[in-house]
Amino acid sequence: MRETFRNADFEALAAAWNAFYPERFAVDAEMLRLHTVECPMFDWGGSFIETSVDGIWGFVVSKRSPTGKLYAAGDEYQAHLSAVVYRNPAIGEDMIGSAKTILRNRGATRLVFGQDCRHFFPGCPEDFGALREFLEIEGFEPTGSSVDLE
């Protein structure tokens, strides 16, 4: 069942995240909340959670690009896939496809992974090959390395 983030259980989302991503990318519920629903660029329509009776199967977090005078470099037609979590690639594929359709119908002409306001990643982690391969299959193209300070 597809749900919005309106009444999300961030403890359960963090557990799903931590089961999916390598340990060095672990998050807690508060960090997940801060970087999603509390971010001004969070896209409520392009972000959702897949659940079933046995818990969370995955989720997608989308954000808009900041535009206007404060963020002169923003591209109003670019959207950001801030994060994706899935139990199996078929669920991930379905969620990404739905998110792309929603974002395209709302005017986005480009979708990038990471690089968003309050991002989790500056781009796809180079040491997480399964995610990189999944994103490439979904049409994302590598553009070089991006670095954040830790």
Side-chain angles (χ1 to χ4, degrees):
M1 176 183 345
R2 189 156 289 169
E3 300 178 12
T4 72
F5 273 75
R6 297 240 182 258
N7 297 310
D9 176 350
F10 282 92
E11 292 291 340
L13 291 174
W17 172 289
N18 293 330
F20 179 75
Y21 284 100
E23 185 177 349
R24 76 183 204 110
F25 301 117
V27 300
D28 61 19
E30 188 55 33
M31 177 186 271
L32 200 55
R33 182 188 323 278
L34 177 67
H35 288 266
T36 59
V37 299
E38 292 184 13
C39 176
M41 299 289 99
F42 181 73
D43 190 322
W44 290 91
S47 302
F48 46 84
I49 306 163
E50 283 291 332
T51 64
S52 73
V53 293
D54 63 342
I56 294 174
W57 278 84
F59 62 92
V60 150
V61 177
S62 301
K63 295 182 186 167
R64 300 177 308 279
S65 278
T67 58
K69 293 181 182 178
L70 183 59
Y71 301 101
D75 179 352
E76 67 181 301
Y77 300 108
Q78 178 171 288
H80 299 266
L81 177 62
S82 187
V84 59
V85 169
Y86 51 85
R87 281 196 195 177
N88 66 56
I91 296 289
E93 184 179 308
D94 181 58
M95 290 188 311
I96 294 291
S98 294
K100 285 179 181 178
T101 299
I102 291 166
L103 297 168
R104 187 179 309 114
N105 288 342
R106 295 169 67 199
T109 58
R110 181 177 173 183
L111 180 62
V112 297
F113 184 80
Q115 306 172 27
D116 49 290
C117 177
R118 291 192 198 165
H119 63 260
F120 294 103
F121 303 104
C124 184
E126 291 179 351
D127 59 347
F128 190 13
L131 178 62
R132 186 180 63 250
E133 291 169 8
F134 173 80
L135 292 172
E136 287 177 0
I137 289 169
E138 288 301 311
F140 290 83
E141 297 175 3
T143 58
S145 295
S146 299
V147 179
D148 267 351
L149 297 176
E150 289 190 35

